[in-house]
Amino acid sequence: VALAGTCMEAGKTAAACAIVARMRHRGLAVHAFKATGVSLRRDILAMEDSGARRSMIFTDLGIVTTTAASGPALTRTMLTEMTQGRPDVVVFELGDGILGAYGVEAILAEPDIRQALSAVILSANDPVAAWGGVKLLRERFDIEPCAVTGPATDNAVGVNIIQQQMGVRAVNAMAAGAELGDHIIQSLGLESRLPQAASE
C-alpha cells in the first residue's frame, strides 16, 4: 500500500499511521517504510507507534536524501526487505510530492514497482490538487487511486467534489481513520485474513 502526495505536508504520514493503526487493531501484521524524502525518522517512528511490526527508512541503506536516480533501487530493496517475515500488508510513504525532487515520479514510472502495488492512496491539500494528482496517477502512471485523503477531505464539500468529479473514494484520515483503514482492507480483499474471520 503506497501513499503518494501532491506535495510535502499533504497528510501522507497521518494517513499511513491511520491505516497501520486500523489494520493492526483488526489483527493484521503490518510492516512500514518511507521510500523517499529527507532523513527524518519521526515518520517511521510514528508508524511504529501506530502498530507497525517492522519499519525501515532509506537512511538505513546509507542514503541521506533520495533523488530520481536512487529512488527506484531503494524502493525495490525496501520492498524486498519489508516483505520478509510474511506480513499481511506493507505500507509505505513516498515523501515529497508526485512531482518533486526526491524521486517519487521515477519510482512510479517503473513497471515492476507499479505491479507490486495493491493500492495507492493520494494525499492532497485541496480539491484542485486532488484533481491534478488523480489525473497524473491515471494518465502518466496508469494507476487508479484507491482513495484520496489529506486536507482536501477536511470538509464535506471537498469530499463530495472528489467523489463526484473524480470518482474516487475520499476519506479524511484524521477524522475517520478507521473508515479509511477499513476501506483499504476491503479494497485489498484482506477480510479473510482477519482473526475473527478465521474463527467464524
Side-chain angles (χ1 to χ4, degrees):
V1 175
L3 289 107
T6 56
C7 63
M8 290 184 180
E9 304 299 326
K12 297 180 295 293
T13 304
C17 290
I19 292 166
V20 169
R22 184 58 175 173
M23 289 179 168
R24 184 67 197 96
H25 176 76
R26 295 191 65 187
L28 296 171
V30 186
H31 292 176
F33 71 93
K34 186 168 181 178
T36 61
V38 294
S39 53
L40 297 173
R41 296 199 74 85
R42 67 181 177 212
D43 295 344
I44 285 300
L45 293 174
M47 292 180 207
E48 288 181 8
D49 288 345
S50 297
R53 186 171 67 184
R54 287 186 62 205
S55 68
M56 194 173 187
I57 186 170
F58 52 86
T59 314
D60 298 332
L61 300 171
I63 302 296
V64 176
T65 303
T66 60
T67 64
S70 64
L74 287 167
T75 301
R76 290 185 188 98
T77 299
M78 288 187 280
L79 278 170
T80 301
E81 180 63 28
M82 286 291 96
T83 55
Q84 304 304 306
R86 301 179 62 82
D88 295 302
V89 187
V90 175
V91 174
F92 71 99
E93 177 185 338
L94 293 159
D96 194 19
I98 298 170
L99 301 177
Y102 294 122
V104 177
E105 189 175 3
I107 290 166
L108 295 178
E110 294 292 328
D112 62 319
I113 295 176
R114 286 201 309 273
Q115 278 192 330
L117 304 179
S118 302
V120 175
I121 295 92
L122 176 70
S123 290
N125 275 328
D126 59 74
V128 174
W131 182 87
V134 168
K135 186 176 175 68
L136 269 173
L137 288 173
R138 286 173 172 165
E139 296 181 5
R140 185 170 296 183
F141 305 110
D142 196 28
I143 292 172
E144 181 59 32
C146 181
V148 173
T149 189
T153 63
D154 279 354
N155 55 55
V157 173
V159 168
N160 291 337
I161 288 171
I162 292 164
Q163 293 186 157
Q164 292 169 10
Q165 296 200 25
M166 292 155 239
V168 180
R169 180 77 176 270
V171 185
N172 188 274
M174 302 299 285
E179 181 185 341
L180 178 62
D182 287 342
H183 171 64
I184 305 305
I185 290 169
Q186 185 176 22
S187 298
L188 297 178
L190 288 172
E191 292 97 334
S192 63
R193 294 197 188 189
L194 301 175
Q196 61 269 29
S199 63
E200 290 173 357

